[in-house]
Amino acid sequence: MAEREAKTKKKCLVNVDMDNLSDYARVYAIKNVPIDNDVLYSNVVPRLLDLFSRYDIKATFFIVGRDCGSERNRRAVRKISEEGHEVANHTLTHTAFNGLSGKEKRFEIEEADKILSDILGKPVAGFRPPHLDFKLDKESIDILEENGYLYDSSLCPAFLYLFAERTVLYLRSKRTIKGLRPTISDIQACFAKDRIYKIEGSTLFEIPTTVLPLFRTPFLATLTMASGNNLYFDLGYPLVKRFVEIPVFRLHGMDLLGLEEDALDGSFHVHPGMKQPLSRKTDKFRHIFGSMSKDYEFVTAESVIAKGGPAGN
Ligand SMILES: [Zn+2]
């Protein structure tokens, strides 16, 4: 019996957003510096696959279609899938959705879908729009449904956190990225459900990024990378473990890049956590995944939804 219980660990999701350096440069208004976006696929993907195999993690990677131009990057995406992880749609160009027309949204979703399903040789099940999180509009949900998607993962019900972060980033981008402009939906999202649920009037499920109970701030690697030692994770994790049914932990490819180790331009030091060596960030991830792997089985988002959502797991 004890053995059987040990085998039925609770489920947990790890999401990776593969936002590229050009996007960060736009957000931080970094101009006229050399940028090698492929470093995410040549350097970060192997690091992540190594970490995930060490802790027996099956993760979901949200990939930007436009980044799959070279055969080398396409091979990296294929390898992600071959190792049992899920590859999901993070749009074609990582342009914020709240400034786009219906036609443009369709283009962003469907062109990325074509690229990714062609690389994988199978349909893509999940979608996440770029630039922080807001409640996805009905038009986009309908496009996803038409294309056979199982879930959307737009929402992060972080109380005021998103509104504040979007405002800071919008100003930092010198008001050049209209999609970063805070809107009323950022405030509404603060009060949204913090659990996987079926979207009303749709066949799709919504998979929100988990927020820490009480604090309502995102269960996000970047905040641990930016905090001394592992403070953010160590404070938040006991709450997540106690109160969240299926936690969704989110990280970005950028979290595993080193300013010096990957020869990034020094101006990227403005990104949270970039002032420390890569080895220190890797240690933080080992701490995070080492702790979580004692309590959880890590599964892909698609597998949770394919089994009928949280109720079927
Ligand atoms: Zn993104």
Side-chain angles (χ1 to χ4, degrees):
M1 186 67 187
E3 227 173 70
R4 191 184 152 84
E5 275 170 13
K7 277 180 193 161
T8 52
K9 275 186 184 169
K10 289 210 296 179
K11 290 184 169 58
C12 170
L13 308 183
V14 173
N15 287 186
V16 184
D17 286 4
M18 292 292 280
D19 301 359
N20 69 35
L21 291 169
S22 301
D23 295 315
Y24 288 108
R26 270 207 304 276
V27 170
Y28 295 127
I30 296 172
K31 286 182 185 149
N32 305 320
V33 303
I35 290 175
D36 174 17
N37 282 318
D38 290 352
V39 77
L40 276 173
Y41 290 87
S42 57
N43 298 9
V44 173
V45 166
R47 285 170 197 157
L48 282 170
L49 293 181
D50 180 54
L51 259 178
F52 291 161
S53 93
R54 188 184 292 252
Y55 296 102
D56 201 14
I57 294 170
K58 298 295 175 232
T60 301
F61 287 70
F62 289 86
I63 304 276
V64 176
R66 151 192 82 177
D67 293 341
C68 302
S70 70
E71 185 47 40
R72 192 172 167 192
N73 290 2
R74 291 166 74 87
R75 255 203 316 272
V77 172
R78 216 171 284 128
K79 187 157 166 57
I80 290 170
S81 170
E82 282 165 4
E83 294 205 5
H85 306 290
E86 177 188 1
V87 170
N89 184 337
H90 200 30
T91 73
L92 180 67
T93 68
H94 207 266
T95 304
F97 258 36
N98 53 359
L100 299 187
S101 69
K103 209 172 149 191
E104 287 168 326
K105 287 174 190 164
R106 181 178 289 279
F107 186 75
E108 284 285 335
I109 293 172
E110 292 184 345
E111 290 303 305
D113 181 75
K114 274 185 218 156
I115 292 169
L116 295 176
S117 54
D118 177 55
I119 295 173
L120 303 172
K122 62 180 183 184
V124 177
F127 173 76
R128 171 173 293 154
H131 286 306
L132 309 176
D133 308 289
F134 54 95
K135 199 166 182 171
L136 193 63
D137 59 282
K138 175 84 174 93
E139 201 171 26
S140 304
I141 289 168
D142 288 346
I143 297 168
L144 292 172
E145 195 172 321
E146 262 178 56
N147 283 277
Y149 276 60
L150 299 180
Y151 71 90
D152 164 63
S153 189
S154 301
L155 201 61
C156 182
F159 182 66
L160 292 183
Y161 173 91
L162 280 187
F163 188 77
E165 190 173 55
R166 284 170 78 87
T167 306
V168 168
L169 291 182
Y170 180 56
L171 296 176
R172 207 159 195 175
S173 77
K174 304 206 186 326
R175 304 175 195 228
T176 52
I177 305 179
K178 290 211 172 59
L180 278 179
R181 202 162 37 198
T183 66
I184 191 72
S185 71
D186 294 323
I187 299 284
Q188 288 166 339
C190 297
F191 302 99
K193 291 174 204 164
D194 179 22
R195 59 179 164 76
I196 300 171
Y197 63 90
K198 186 102 188 289
I199 298 171
E200 212 181 307
S202 167
T203 55
L204 269 73
F205 280 82
E206 177 63 36
I207 304 185
T209 297
T210 292
V211 292
L212 306 189
L214 305 177
F215 300 104
R216 300 280 288 188
T217 51
F219 193 30
L220 195 65
T222 312
L223 294 171
T224 300
M225 295 303 128
S227 66
N229 298 318
N230 295 294
L231 189 66
Y232 185 76
F233 177 81
D234 287 346
L235 281 177
Y237 182 55
L239 292 169
V240 169
K241 201 164 82 172
R242 172 88 175 80
F243 295 108
V244 182
E245 189 187 4
I246 302 179
V248 180
F249 177 72
R250 188 142 71 95
L251 61 112
H252 290 82
M254 186 79 168
D255 293 325
L256 269 171
L257 274 177
L259 207 56
E260 283 185 15
E261 296 83 346
D262 296 302
L264 305 192
D265 187 84
S267 39
F268 283 103
H269 79 273
V270 293
H271 186 70
M274 286 310 278
K275 286 178 190 153
Q276 61 202 317
L278 176 63
S279 59
R280 192 164 151 72
K281 298 209 273 187
T282 310
D283 283 346
K284 286 182 172 183
F285 273 113
R286 288 190 181 146
H287 172 73
I288 291 170
F289 293 138
S291 308
M292 292 175 76
S293 62
K294 291 188 191 119
D295 304 311
Y296 291 100
E297 177 194 357
F298 298 91
V299 296
T300 64
E302 183 180 11
S303 77
V304 170
I305 303 307
K307 286 180 190 161
N313 281 267

